[in-house]
PDB file of all heavy atoms in Angstrom:
ATOM      1  N   PHE S  26    -117.473 -57.008 105.541  1.00 42.00           N
ATOM      2  CA  PHE S  26    -116.942 -56.043 104.488  1.00 42.00           C
ATOM      3  C   PHE S  26    -116.450 -56.916 103.405  1.00 42.00           C
ATOM      4  O   PHE S  26    -115.931 -56.298 102.269  1.00 42.00           O
ATOM      5  CB  PHE S  26    -115.798 -55.251 105.049  1.00 42.00           C
ATOM      6  CG  PHE S  26    -116.161 -54.209 106.078  1.00 42.00           C
ATOM      7  CD1 PHE S  26    -115.666 -54.453 107.439  1.00 42.00           C
ATOM      8  CD2 PHE S  26    -116.925 -53.246 105.809  1.00 42.00           C
ATOM      9  CE1 PHE S  26    -116.065 -53.535 108.379  1.00 42.00           C
ATOM     10  CE2 PHE S  26    -117.327 -52.276 106.849  1.00 42.00           C
ATOM     11  CZ  PHE S  26    -116.880 -52.507 108.088  1.00 42.00           C
ATOM     12  N   GLN S  27    -116.639 -58.248 103.290  1.00 43.00           N
ATOM     13  CA  GLN S  27    -116.196 -59.018 102.246  1.00 43.00           C
ATOM     14  C   GLN S  27    -116.915 -58.640 101.022  1.00 43.00           C
ATOM     15  O   GLN S  27    -116.420 -58.864  99.840  1.00 43.00           O
ATOM     16  CB  GLN S  27    -116.317 -60.573 102.587  1.00 43.00           C
ATOM     17  CG  GLN S  27    -115.426 -61.013 103.595  1.00 43.00           C
ATOM     18  CD  GLN S  27    -113.881 -60.920 103.105  1.00 43.00           C
ATOM     19  OE1 GLN S  27    -113.568 -61.437 102.057  1.00 43.00           O
ATOM     20  NE2 GLN S  27    -112.982 -60.197 103.846  1.00 43.00           N
ATOM     21  N   ASP S  28    -118.203 -58.350 101.016  1.00 43.00           N
ATOM     22  CA  ASP S  28    -118.980 -57.951  99.845  1.00 43.00           C
ATOM     23  C   ASP S  28    -119.355 -56.543  99.852  1.00 43.00           C
ATOM     24  O   ASP S  28    -119.157 -55.868 100.886  1.00 43.00           O
ATOM     25  CB  ASP S  28    -120.090 -58.907  99.688  1.00 43.00           C
ATOM     26  CG  ASP S  28    -119.838 -60.333  99.655  1.00 43.00           C
ATOM     27  OD1 ASP S  28    -118.941 -60.657  98.897  1.00 43.00           O
ATOM     28  OD2 ASP S  28    -120.453 -61.140 100.403  1.00 43.00           O
ATOM     29  N   GLY S  29    -119.952 -56.008  98.794  1.00 48.00           N
ATOM     30  CA  GLY S  29    -120.434 -54.646  98.893  1.00 48.00           C
ATOM     31  C   GLY S  29    -119.390 -53.644  98.589  1.00 48.00           C
ATOM     32  O   GLY S  29    -119.396 -52.488  99.062  1.00 48.00           O
ATOM     33  N   GLY S  30    -118.348 -53.894  97.785  1.00 53.00           N
ATOM     34  CA  GLY S  30    -117.232 -53.050  97.495  1.00 53.00           C
ATOM     35  C   GLY S  30    -117.686 -51.711  96.868  1.00 53.00           C
ATOM     36  O   GLY S  30    -117.203 -50.676  97.142  1.00 53.00           O
ATOM     37  N   GLU S  31    -118.643 -51.792  95.916  1.00 58.00           N
ATOM     38  CA  GLU S  31    -119.076 -50.765  95.121  1.00 58.00           C
ATOM     39  C   GLU S  31    -119.792 -49.711  96.155  1.00 58.00           C
ATOM     40  O   GLU S  31    -119.441 -48.530  95.987  1.00 58.00           O
ATOM     41  CB  GLU S  31    -119.922 -51.193  94.041  1.00 58.00           C
ATOM     42  CG  GLU S  31    -120.361 -50.052  93.052  1.00 58.00           C
ATOM     43  CD  GLU S  31    -121.624 -49.245  93.620  1.00 58.00           C
ATOM     44  OE1 GLU S  31    -122.352 -49.745  94.333  1.00 58.00           O
ATOM     45  OE2 GLU S  31    -121.610 -47.957  93.284  1.00 58.00           O
ATOM     46  N   HIS S  32    -120.565 -50.259  96.911  1.00 52.00           N
ATOM     47  CA  HIS S  32    -121.391 -49.427  97.901  1.00 52.00           C
ATOM     48  C   HIS S  32    -120.460 -48.763  98.844  1.00 52.00           C
ATOM     49  O   HIS S  32    -120.463 -47.544  99.140  1.00 52.00           O
ATOM     50  CB  HIS S  32    -122.409 -50.251  98.651  1.00 52.00           C
ATOM     51  CG  HIS S  32    -123.234 -49.459  99.582  1.00 52.00           C
ATOM     52  ND1 HIS S  32    -122.943 -49.496 100.898  1.00 52.00           N
ATOM     53  CD2 HIS S  32    -124.283 -48.623  99.404  1.00 52.00           C
ATOM     54  CE1 HIS S  32    -123.836 -48.695 101.544  1.00 52.00           C
ATOM     55  NE2 HIS S  32    -124.686 -48.176 100.615  1.00 52.00           N
ATOM     56  N   TYR S  33    -119.433 -49.493  99.368  1.00 56.00           N
ATOM     57  CA  TYR S  33    -118.452 -48.986 100.361  1.00 56.00           C
ATOM     58  C   TYR S  33    -117.696 -47.813  99.680  1.00 56.00           C
ATOM     59  O   TYR S  33    -117.470 -46.802 100.281  1.00 56.00           O
ATOM     60  CB  TYR S  33    -117.441 -50.152 100.873  1.00 56.00           C
ATOM     61  CG  TYR S  33    -116.490 -49.723 101.792  1.00 56.00           C
ATOM     62  CD1 TYR S  33    -116.796 -50.002 103.188  1.00 56.00           C
ATOM     63  CD2 TYR S  33    -115.279 -49.110 101.461  1.00 56.00           C
ATOM     64  CE1 TYR S  33    -115.863 -49.687 104.197  1.00 56.00           C
ATOM     65  CE2 TYR S  33    -114.376 -48.824 102.523  1.00 56.00           C
ATOM     66  CZ  TYR S  33    -114.732 -49.019 103.837  1.00 56.00           C
ATOM     67  OH  TYR S  33    -113.750 -48.605 104.836  1.00 56.00           O
ATOM     68  N   ASP S  34    -117.194 -48.051  98.426  1.00 58.00           N
ATOM     69  CA  ASP S  34    -116.466 -47.066  97.777  1.00 58.00           C
ATOM     70  C   ASP S  34    -117.270 -45.724  97.640  1.00 58.00           C
ATOM     71  O   ASP S  34    -116.624 -44.728  97.749  1.00 58.00           O
ATOM     72  CB  ASP S  34    -115.964 -47.651  96.458  1.00 58.00           C
ATOM     73  CG  ASP S  34    -114.985 -46.686  95.678  1.00 58.00           C
ATOM     74  OD1 ASP S  34    -113.815 -46.390  96.210  1.00 58.00           O
ATOM     75  OD2 ASP S  34    -115.238 -46.226  94.677  1.00 58.00           O
ATOM     76  N   ARG S  35    -118.489 -45.877  97.230  1.00 61.00           N
ATOM     77  CA  ARG S  35    -119.272 -44.761  96.990  1.00 61.00           C
ATOM     78  C   ARG S  35    -119.578 -43.947  98.096  1.00 61.00           C
ATOM     79  O   ARG S  35    -119.586 -42.650  98.047  1.00 61.00           O
ATOM     80  CB  ARG S  35    -120.638 -45.229  96.283  1.00 61.00           C
ATOM     81  CG  ARG S  35    -121.617 -44.102  95.904  1.00 61.00           C
ATOM     82  CD  ARG S  35    -122.558 -44.624  94.895  1.00 61.00           C
ATOM     83  NE  ARG S  35    -123.154 -45.947  95.481  1.00 61.00           N
ATOM     84  CZ  ARG S  35    -124.253 -45.982  96.249  1.00 61.00           C
ATOM     85  NH1 ARG S  35    -124.772 -44.874  96.692  1.00 61.00           N
ATOM     86  NH2 ARG S  35    -124.756 -47.246  96.577  1.00 61.00           N
ATOM     87  N   VAL S  36    -119.813 -44.468  99.390  1.00 62.00           N
ATOM     88  CA  VAL S  36    -120.362 -43.941 100.406  1.00 62.00           C
ATOM     89  C   VAL S  36    -119.262 -43.420 101.577  1.00 62.00           C
ATOM     90  O   VAL S  36    -119.515 -42.527 102.236  1.00 62.00           O
ATOM     91  CB  VAL S  36    -121.520 -44.568 101.171  1.00 62.00           C
ATOM     92  CG1 VAL S  36    -122.607 -44.766 100.116  1.00 62.00           C
ATOM     93  CG2 VAL S  36    -121.011 -45.839 101.797  1.00 62.00           C
ATOM     94  N   ARG S  37    -118.188 -44.200 101.605  1.00 72.00           N
ATOM     95  CA  ARG S  37    -117.121 -43.835 102.571  1.00 72.00           C
ATOM     96  C   ARG S  37    -116.323 -42.667 102.174  1.00 72.00           C
ATOM     97  O   ARG S  37    -116.010 -42.412 101.060  1.00 72.00           O
ATOM     98  CB  ARG S  37    -116.254 -45.016 102.794  1.00 72.00           C
ATOM     99  CG  ARG S  37    -117.010 -46.256 103.751  1.00 72.00           C
ATOM    100  CD  ARG S  37    -117.300 -45.724 104.980  1.00 72.00           C
ATOM    101  NE  ARG S  37    -118.078 -46.801 105.761  1.00 72.00           N
ATOM    102  CZ  ARG S  37    -117.352 -47.419 106.804  1.00 72.00           C
ATOM    103  NH1 ARG S  37    -116.152 -47.144 107.213  1.00 72.00           N
ATOM    104  NH2 ARG S  37    -118.072 -48.425 107.557  1.00 72.00           N
ATOM    105  N   PRO S  38    -115.900 -41.792 103.171  1.00 84.00           N
ATOM    106  CA  PRO S  38    -115.102 -40.705 102.775  1.00 84.00           C
ATOM    107  C   PRO S  38    -113.746 -41.122 102.505  1.00 84.00           C
ATOM    108  O   PRO S  38    -113.149 -42.198 102.813  1.00 84.00           O
ATOM    109  CB  PRO S  38    -115.113 -39.919 104.122  1.00 84.00           C
ATOM    110  CG  PRO S  38    -115.257 -40.954 105.233  1.00 84.00           C
ATOM    111  CD  PRO S  38    -116.135 -41.936 104.618  1.00 84.00           C
ATOM    112  N   GLY S  39    -113.053 -40.112 101.717  1.00 89.00           N
ATOM    113  CA  GLY S  39    -111.620 -40.365 101.428  1.00 89.00           C
ATOM    114  C   GLY S  39    -110.739 -39.844 102.632  1.00 89.00           C
ATOM    115  O   GLY S  39    -111.285 -39.775 103.827  1.00 89.00           O
ATOM    116  N   TYR S  40    -109.530 -39.426 102.395  1.00 94.00           N
ATOM    117  CA  TYR S  40    -108.583 -38.982 103.509  1.00 94.00           C
ATOM    118  C   TYR S  40    -107.966 -37.666 103.103  1.00 94.00           C
ATOM    119  O   TYR S  40    -107.901 -37.477 101.854  1.00 94.00           O
ATOM    120  CB  TYR S  40    -107.573 -40.041 103.740  1.00 94.00           C
ATOM    121  CG  TYR S  40    -108.015 -41.381 104.179  1.00 94.00           C
ATOM    122  CD1 TYR S  40    -108.451 -42.419 103.178  1.00 94.00           C
ATOM    123  CD2 TYR S  40    -108.224 -41.633 105.539  1.00 94.00           C
ATOM    124  CE1 TYR S  40    -108.814 -43.585 103.618  1.00 94.00           C
ATOM    125  CE2 TYR S  40    -108.671 -42.794 105.960  1.00 94.00           C
ATOM    126  CZ  TYR S  40    -109.047 -43.841 104.968  1.00 94.00           C
ATOM    127  OH  TYR S  40    -109.552 -45.017 105.454  1.00 94.00           O
ATOM    128  N   PRO S  41    -107.720 -36.758 104.066  1.00 95.00           N
ATOM    129  CA  PRO S  41    -107.056 -35.463 103.746  1.00 95.00           C
ATOM    130  C   PRO S  41    -105.696 -35.782 103.291  1.00 95.00           C
ATOM    131  O   PRO S  41    -104.894 -36.688 103.690  1.00 95.00           O
ATOM    132  CB  PRO S  41    -107.029 -34.727 105.061  1.00 95.00           C
ATOM    133  CG  PRO S  41    -107.133 -35.798 106.101  1.00 95.00           C
ATOM    134  CD  PRO S  41    -107.934 -36.900 105.501  1.00 95.00           C
ATOM    135  N   ALA S  42    -105.174 -34.848 102.324  1.00 95.00           N
ATOM    136  CA  ALA S  42    -103.911 -35.134 101.652  1.00 95.00           C
ATOM    137  C   ALA S  42    -102.793 -35.075 102.679  1.00 95.00           C
ATOM    138  O   ALA S  42    -101.730 -35.767 102.539  1.00 95.00           O
ATOM    139  CB  ALA S  42    -103.720 -34.072 100.524  1.00 95.00           C
TER     140      ALA S  42
END
Side-chain angles (χ1 to χ4, degrees):
F26 296 109
Q27 287 296 307
D28 301 312
E31 187 277 332
H32 182 258
Y33 185 98
D34 186 64
R35 179 165 48 86
V36 304
R37 286 296 181 106
Y40 298 90

